Amino acid sequence: MRKINNPYGQMEGYNCFGCSPNNVHGLQMQFYEDGEDIVSEWSPRSRFQGYKDILHGGIQATLMDEIASWCVQIRSKTAGVTSNLDIRYRKPVYTTDEIIRLRSRVVDVRRNLIDIKVELYNSRDDLCAEAVATYFTFKREVAERIFRYPDYESFFEDQI
C-alpha cells in the first residue's frame, strides 16, 4: 500500500470535517492506495455514537462519502462533488471497535459522472455497510480554480 498525502493541509482556511488532520472535531481520515482501491483505516470514538456504543449512521455516511471523494481525486485526477449517495447498512458498527476499514473503487464512468463503490468493515472484517457514491466531476482547470485541486504529484510527494 502507498500512503496518500493530504496536500490541502497547508492551505489557509482548510478545515474539512472528513480529512483535515487539524480539525479536532473532525474525523481526521487518512488514505492509502492499494492496487486500484483507495482504502482508509479509522478508529471510532464514543463522541460519534448514536445509540450507546454504536457508530452513528450519519458518521458512517460521512466516512463513505469522504473516501469516495478521495477515490475520485486520485483516480480521475480532478475534483468532484457528491451527486448521489446510496447506502445499505448491514450490521451495526461499534464505537468500541479498535479500528474500522473502508475500501473504495471506481465502478463506472459516464462523461462527467463517476460511480464509486465503498465498503465499510468492522474490526472482525464483517461487511457492515456499503454504498455507491455518484460524483459529478469537473474539468481540471475548474477543479484547480474553484476547489483548489492541487498538482496530482503532491498527493504522493516525498515517497519512495
Side-chain angles (χ1 to χ4, degrees), residues 47-88:
R47 71 173 183 248
F48 296 126
Q49 70 182 343
Y51 289 107
K52 182 171 177 7
D53 295 334
I54 296 178
L55 186 63
H56 193 285
I59 296 298
Q60 293 178 56
T62 302
L63 290 164
M64 291 187 283
D65 187 38
E66 187 69 23
I67 195 170
S69 173
W70 280 77
C71 189
V72 167
Q73 292 181 72
I74 299 301
R75 293 293 167 241
S76 67
K77 299 181 180 178
T78 191
V81 293
T82 310
S83 175
N84 188 58
L85 182 61
D86 186 18
I87 302 172
R88 171 115 191 249

Side-chain angles (χ1 to χ4, degrees), residues 113-146:
L113 295 175
I114 297 179
D115 291 333
I116 308 294
K117 172 76 172 179
V118 180
E119 299 165 331
L120 187 155
Y121 296 89
N122 64 16
S123 59
R124 293 168 301 286
D125 286 328
D126 298 325
L127 178 62
C128 295
E130 55 188 333
V132 174
T134 301
Y135 269 72
F136 179 89
T137 60
F138 298 91
K139 291 183 180 178
R140 181 73 182 264
E141 306 78 46
V142 174
E144 290 170 356
R145 187 177 74 245
I146 296 176

Side-chain angles (χ1 to χ4, degrees), residues 148-160:
R148 299 168 66 184
Y149 184 81
D151 178 67
Y152 178 76
E153 295 304 316
S154 66
F155 288 102
F156 302 104
E157 68 185 0
D158 301 323
Q159 295 187 26
I160 299 175

